[in-house]
Amino acid sequence: MTVQPKELEAQLEAIRLEAQQALAATEALEQLEQLRIKYLGKKGPIPQVLGSMGKLDAADRPRIGSLANDVKEAIQSDLEQRRVALQAAQLQAQLDAETLDVTMPGTYWPQGRTHPLNAMSDRVIDIFVGMGYTVAEGPEMETDYYNFEALNFLPDHPARDMQDTLYLPDGNIMRTHTSSVQIRYMEANEPPIRIVMPGRCYRRDTVDATHTAVFNQIEFLAIDEGLTFTDLKGTLRMFLEQLFGEVPIRMRPSFFPFTEPSAEVDLQWKGRWLEIMGCGMVDPNVLKSVGYDPEVYTGFAGGLGVERLAAVLHQIDDIRRLYTSDLRFLQQF
Ligand code: DAH
């Protein structure tokens, strides 16, 4: 059975047209490879057409063979064109996506800053460190011994009532002051000592403009041979000058179980005398409780409230503001 050349011509034309349309419809480079295999592969339609050439008249064969070649080349050239176009489109899409417009306004991230309480602590600590002190810390949960007994508070001494204590069910307490750290440090170290002790303290206080149940103190302690009240006064003057400048200061006699003599320090600030810390010469009983010989060593100590100091320095009318995280307030620092 013979095959009409017209029939093969029509088949080849149909293949060319179909491939052309399929290629034009591609949207991605991966599709092109599938079409190449489909139309130009060994199992593609062209070899199939050529397979039936044997049934043609010998005279028609060269013409059909050359037409098959033309179709193949046409598909190859369409394929190549499409590949170039798709590659260009892909590159453009990538460029569009990655374009960096340096004239665009930047994204604004508000800058964080140190909380005024921490900034206050840092300043105090820095000043003491500048005078040769090192930082020491102790636990917030304490025993009666470290918070009171070793600091010369006698069991029934009314001084215990000065500081309304938060007792825990197990008999421990939340420390009422950082003075407990003095004892822990002296127990573990020998004189000479120069330490500054920041930390959180707790009291059963009714919260108001000048009291919070949780607050921060900074304590300092110096123990050496021959330290006198003059050294305490000089240290206080240096410290306060660095913090407030040259302002008048005065010391008033006071009482603390762990110091003798004891004093309260006031400074004149914005026309008023303001009390800012307690201090004194370390009581010989305290030195004895940590095994130091009070005949050899003397020392001085002091403690201040960080909230109170910040309130004085920045004229904050209500220390609760330091705890309410109101950005309008905090942003002023
Ligand atoms: N611990 C005292 C308080 O919480 C403050 C204080 C007073 C500390 C005198 C001292 C000191 O080291 O010598 O009120």
Side-chain angles (χ1 to χ4, degrees), residues 65-83:
S66 124
L67 181 64
N69 250 342
D70 289 351
V71 169
K72 194 171 152 188
E73 273 166 22
I75 294 175
Q76 262 164 355
S77 132
D78 281 356
L79 198 101
E80 189 53 27
Q81 265 180 33
R82 194 66 196 146
R83 198 175 60 77

Side-chain angles (χ1 to χ4, degrees), residues 163 176-177 179 182 203 217 219 256 258-259 278-280 301-303:
Q163 309 186 342
T176 60
H177 52 186
S179 304
Q182 290 187 20
R203 285 186 201 175
Q217 279 192 345
E219 185 97 4
F256 298 103
F258 35 91
T259 43
C279 63

